[in-house]
């Protein structure tokens, strides 16, 4: 509209148009810059990582996630049956299977698919103990699974080397949420006892999305396996995870390593507790998922002996992917806002449409065209995540703003001429 009125005045009044051009240029540039700012995430290193006690999801990031989702789904896209599975409106596979597809998972997995499979898993890392633990596992020829707390990994980029070593060695990397907030009915979180409210569908998704971005920064992949903080869950959180392609994982062999404090915190006690838990689980299950913490020295120091014991028990050590027969990671470049199974919905930002096939993506042309205008911001977030340790994100942002400005000036000038 601005451009066409400027064109009219150009023809009718000749030389007096220059101020209009400049005004139009500035206006378009401002609009584009504001639109870009409104839909982009804060760079990862601006999240509340370092300040003590600041482990809750940063509100500005949640706000921006909402803005991004609204830009993509449309503000009114909350109606079941509109073909859009809209997390902002709380839609899940349970509340709206028409839009979100049928639920696949009714409760978290507690064991493997095949008899005698044994998945050793570690929660709460990474920690300074992780690297040696990976080496111990590698020396024993055992593949395990690590569930990272996003916030913890983000605070300690110096530990990503250990996470990458685990990933490169064939261990699976899963998420333990961003802030270790319960997915159960209390929604509890250690750092703030006042929180006593279950997370909404959107909060569950935001927790996992933020953690994903950190894990992706460390290993280049976004995880699908989720270990439940405190092993707590409720139907709504499982439906939310299922809807967005996550796989909730519980356990049936608990080492209870975290209960050991002070002088009682000895590796041999962990081995004893682990052995006892395994003997119990074996009474009713034929395959196993165990729990330890790679943040506890008495637990990681017990690993060689735990493996030695299990090797006498006719079990096969497997990472979670083999335990469940499921892919631990999303497709590379898949849209961070969507479940890979929503192939109807194209990846925004052009260029990276890996999860869609051409037949499916042509089904929803409206979404495609409306989302492509805001797509650039998602693409620009990825380098920011991968560059968490450097100051590169700021330079990328500045360069992007300069390009926006130049494009705006060019477009307005061309239209006006
Ligand atoms: Zn935990």
């Amino acid at each position: 509209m601005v451009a066409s009125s400027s064109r009219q005045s150009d023809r009718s009044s000749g030389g007096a148009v220059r101020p209009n051009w400049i005004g139009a240029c500035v206006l378009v540039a401002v609009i584009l810059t504001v639109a870009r700012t409104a839909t982009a995430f804060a760079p990862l290193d601006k999240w509340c990582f370092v300040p003590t006690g600041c482990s809750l999801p940063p509100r500005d990031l949640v706000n921006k996630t909402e803005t991004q989702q609204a830009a993509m789904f449309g503000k009114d896209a909350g109606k079941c049956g509109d073909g859009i599975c809209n997390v902002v409106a709380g839609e899940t596979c349970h509340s709206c299977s028409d839009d979100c597809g049928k639920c696949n998972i009714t409760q978290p997995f507690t064991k493997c698919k095949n008899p005698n499979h044994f998945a050793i898993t570690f929660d709460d890392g990474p920690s300074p103990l992780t690297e040696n633990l990976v080496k111990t596992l590698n020396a024993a020829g055992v593949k395990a699974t690590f569930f990272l707390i996003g916030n913890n990994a983000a605070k300690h980029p110096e530990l990503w080397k250990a996470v990458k070593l685990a990933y490169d060695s064939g261990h699976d990397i899963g998420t333990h949420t961003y802030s270790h907030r319960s997915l159960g009915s209390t929604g509890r979180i250690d750092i703030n006892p006042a929180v006593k409210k279950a997370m909404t569908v959107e909060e569950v998704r935001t927790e996992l999305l933020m953690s994903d971005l950190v894990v992706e920064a460390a290993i280049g992949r976004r995880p699908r396996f989720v270990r439940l903080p405190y092993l707590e869950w409720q139907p709504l959180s499982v439906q939310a995870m299922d809807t967005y392609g996550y796989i909730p994982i519980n356990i049936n062999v608990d080492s209870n390593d975290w209960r050991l404090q002070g002088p009682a915190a000895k590796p041999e006690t962990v081995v004893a507790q682990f052995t006892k838990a395994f003997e119990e689980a074996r009474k009713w299950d034929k395959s196993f998922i165990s729990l330890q913490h790679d943040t506890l020295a008495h637990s990681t120091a017990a690993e060689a002996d735990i493996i030695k014991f299990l090797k006498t028990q006719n079990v096969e050590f497997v990472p979670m992917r083999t335990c469940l027969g499921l892919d631990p990671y999303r497709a590379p470049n898949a849209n961070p806002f969507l479940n890979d199974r929503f192939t109807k919905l194209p990846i925004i930002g052009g260029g990276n449409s890996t999860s869609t096939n051409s037949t499916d993506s042509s089904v929803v042309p409206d979404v495609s065209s409306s989302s492509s205008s805001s797509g650039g911001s998602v693409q620009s977030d990825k380098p920011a995540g991968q560059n968490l340790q450097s100051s590169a994100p700021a330079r990328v942002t500045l360069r992007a703003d300069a390009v926006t400005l130049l494009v705006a000036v060019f477009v307005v000038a061309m239209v006006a001429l």
Side-chain angles (χ1 to χ4, degrees):
M1 295 299 284
V2 173
S4 73
S5 63
S6 143
R7 188 178 205 147
Q8 292 287 344
S9 63
D10 192 7
R11 283 179 184 153
S12 57
S13 59
V17 296
R18 186 173 293 264
N20 288 346
W21 285 18
I22 295 168
C25 286
V26 170
L27 185 61
V28 171
V30 167
I31 290 170
L32 287 175
T33 305
V34 167
R36 184 191 166 283
T37 309
T39 55
F41 282 128
L44 284 179
D45 56 356
K46 294 288 184 289
W47 297 1
C48 61
F49 292 158
V50 180
T52 50
C54 185
S55 297
L56 282 168
R59 190 62 221 172
D60 70 322
L61 184 71
V62 176
N63 289 342
K64 279 170 180 144
T65 306
E66 287 169 2
T67 306
Q68 181 84 325
Q69 289 168 342
M72 182 168 175
F73 295 121
K75 284 199 171 64
D76 302 322
K79 202 174 157 202
C80 186
D82 62 6
I84 299 168
C85 185
N86 189 348
V87 67
V88 178
E91 288 183 354
T92 67
C93 57
H94 178 74
S95 68
C96 182
S97 59
D98 282 356
D99 292 348
C100 299
K102 286 197 168 58
C103 295
N104 296 319
I105 301 169
T106 52
Q107 57 184 2
F109 291 93
T110 57
K111 57 185 173 183
C112 303
K113 272 175 62 181
N114 294 316
N116 299 325
H117 275 187
F118 199 113
I120 294 180
T121 75
F122 301 93
D123 285 9
D124 293 4
S127 89
L129 304 167
T130 306
E131 185 170 345
N132 270 342
L133 176 60
V134 172
K135 288 175 180 166
T136 302
L137 293 165
N138 289 353
V142 170
K143 298 280 186 278
T145 302
F146 293 83
F147 293 98
L148 311 186
I149 298 177
N151 173 17
N152 189 15
K155 275 182 189 164
H156 298 286
E158 74 280 6
L159 300 175
W160 295 1
K161 188 163 64 87
V163 178
K164 188 70 164 50
L165 175 67
Y167 173 77
D168 289 343
S169 305
H171 305 288
D172 283 345
I173 308 297
T175 172
H176 196 31
T177 75
Y178 180 75
S179 60
H180 206 273
R181 187 174 170 192
S182 170
L183 292 158
S185 55
T186 65
R188 66 186 170 124
I189 181 167
D190 281 348
I191 61 157
N192 188 350
V195 174
K196 286 175 185 153
K197 190 169 160 286
M199 282 195 277
T200 63
V201 170
E202 190 189 358
E203 284 170 333
V204 169
R205 194 149 175 261
T206 302
E207 272 279 339
L208 294 171
L209 176 61
M210 291 201 303
S211 181
D212 286 358
L213 295 175
V214 180
V215 174
E216 184 178 42
I219 65 167
R221 302 298 302 271
R222 277 182 293 116
R224 297 176 68 215
F225 295 148
V226 181
R227 168 59 47 71
L228 318 162
Y230 314 105
L231 304 177
E232 292 174 354
W233 59 281
Q234 55 146 339
L236 185 67
S237 60
V238 170
Q239 289 151 13
M241 286 185 265
D242 190 9
T243 299
Y244 290 99
Y246 295 100
I247 298 150
I249 296 172
N250 211 323
I251 62 163
N252 60 357
V253 176
D254 192 347
S255 71
N256 276 306
D257 55 359
W258 63 274
R259 291 183 190 275
L260 301 172
Q261 312 272 342
K266 292 180 186 150
E268 51 269 35
T269 317
V270 177
V271 177
Q273 292 187 170
F274 193 108
T275 306
K276 191 168 167 236
F278 171 68
E279 305 286 0
E280 280 297 307
R282 191 152 70 165
K283 291 178 185 167
W284 56 83
D285 281 334
K286 290 190 166 60
S287 61
F288 311 93
I289 304 173
S290 67
L291 169 60
Q292 292 174 261
H293 296 84
D294 56 322
T295 49
L296 302 175
H298 56 278
S299 195
T300 59
E303 208 54 34
D305 285 342
I306 285 174
I307 290 169
K308 202 192 270 180
F309 161 72
L310 288 174
K311 280 184 173 172
T312 67
Q313 301 298 308
N314 187 34
V315 297
E316 184 183 342
F317 297 101
V318 291
M320 281 311 308
R321 74 179 75 188
T322 314
C323 171
L324 299 179
L326 296 169
D327 195 327
Y329 307 109
R330 289 176 191 270
N333 299 321
N335 189 325
F337 290 92
L338 292 176
N339 183 347
D340 293 348
R341 71 184 171 155
F342 297 135
T343 52
K344 287 200 297 191
L345 296 170
I347 287 177
I348 57 179
N352 274 330
S353 50
T354 53
S355 77
T356 56
N357 60 47
S358 53
T359 359
D360 284 341
S361 59
S362 63
V363 175
V364 195
D366 287 350
V367 176
S368 173
S369 57
S370 66
S371 61
S372 61
S373 58
S374 64
S377 56
V378 165
Q379 296 305 318
S380 64
D381 288 327
K382 293 203 164 178
Q386 282 148 9
N387 288 319
L388 183 59
Q389 287 170 288
S390 72
S391 59
R395 288 199 297 274
V396 169
T397 308
L398 280 177
R399 209 178 301 141
D401 286 339
V403 169
T404 302
L405 197 64
L406 282 172
V407 168
V409 170
F410 179 74
V411 168
V412 171
M414 290 306 289
V415 171
L417 284 170

